[in-house]
Amino acid sequence: PPAWFPRPHGNAVRTRDPESPAPRAGSACLPENRLPASFRLRTRRDFASLRKGKRFSYRGLRFVYRPTGLGHARLGLAVSAKYGTAVQRNRLKRKIREAFRTSRLRAMGVDLLVIPLACASEMEDVSGIMHAAIEKIARTLEGQECVICLSD
């Protein structure tokens, strides 16, 4: 096939309304929809501190959480290649982050680690599972909030 050269009047196949604004780079991830770095577990030390945390499993996901002195929650994800393809792993992580971002747990001082136990074909309603588990954690922590503040 011959080389493709742009025409001076633009590509007729990919026309765009001249009135519409130019598409932004990364417009799918607008800043208000992202989970800020301060709300993520990022270092080895952050993950190691969860070894002393409380654990429970719920419908294919394992949750490890530990109260902290911070004024907000932080989320960590540990999704191994056993879970599925890269596309499936990334989709799961996006759904988990979104459920965490919109939850009330985000305002509590807790670190949360989520580990999938089931493979991708067995996971159904990830958002519903996350919301139910987050509500359980929030109910557990509501009574402990004052104790956590005093221990720091």
Side-chain angles (χ1 to χ4, degrees):
W4 180 81
F5 294 104
R7 298 180 192 159
H9 59 280
N11 187 350
V13 178
R14 295 183 227 157
T15 58
R16 191 172 59 84
D17 180 20
E19 302 287 322
S20 67
R24 291 178 30 191
S27 60
C29 285
L30 296 174
E32 63 270 7
N33 291 337
R34 294 182 64 187
L35 191 63
S38 62
F39 286 86
R40 286 183 257 153
L41 296 174
R42 300 188 309 161
T43 65
R44 182 181 201 89
R45 186 176 182 183
D46 292 340
F47 281 89
S49 71
L50 284 167
R51 289 191 184 128
K52 299 174 186 172
K54 296 179 182 171
R55 305 160 194 256
F56 73 95
S57 297
Y58 181 69
R59 296 179 58 193
L61 292 176
R62 167 155 295 151
F63 297 89
V64 182
Y65 66 97
R66 183 171 186 223
T68 62
L70 298 175
H72 61 277
R74 297 187 301 172
L75 175 69
L77 299 168
V79 184
S80 72
K82 293 177 186 176
Y83 177 76
T85 64
V87 172
Q88 293 168 329
R89 292 191 306 268
N90 291 333
R91 183 176 294 130
L92 174 73
K93 290 190 280 188
R94 281 194 306 270
K95 289 179 180 180
I96 290 173
R97 278 190 214 108
E98 180 61 19
F100 176 78
R101 191 182 68 79
T102 59
S103 73
R104 69 184 180 122
L105 183 70
R106 196 170 153 190
M108 297 183 170
V110 64
D111 285 351
L112 174 65
L113 174 63
V114 181
I115 307 165
L117 302 175
C119 65
S121 60
E122 297 174 16
M123 297 290 283
E124 290 178 11
D125 182 26
V126 175
S127 180
I129 294 169
M130 279 294 296
H131 283 297
I134 285 173
E135 283 302 313
K136 178 181 177 178
I137 294 169
R139 281 193 309 269
T140 304
L141 293 175
E142 280 176 342
Q144 299 176 4
E145 204 66 37
C146 297
V147 176
I148 295 165
C149 296
L150 294 174
S151 66
D152 290 335

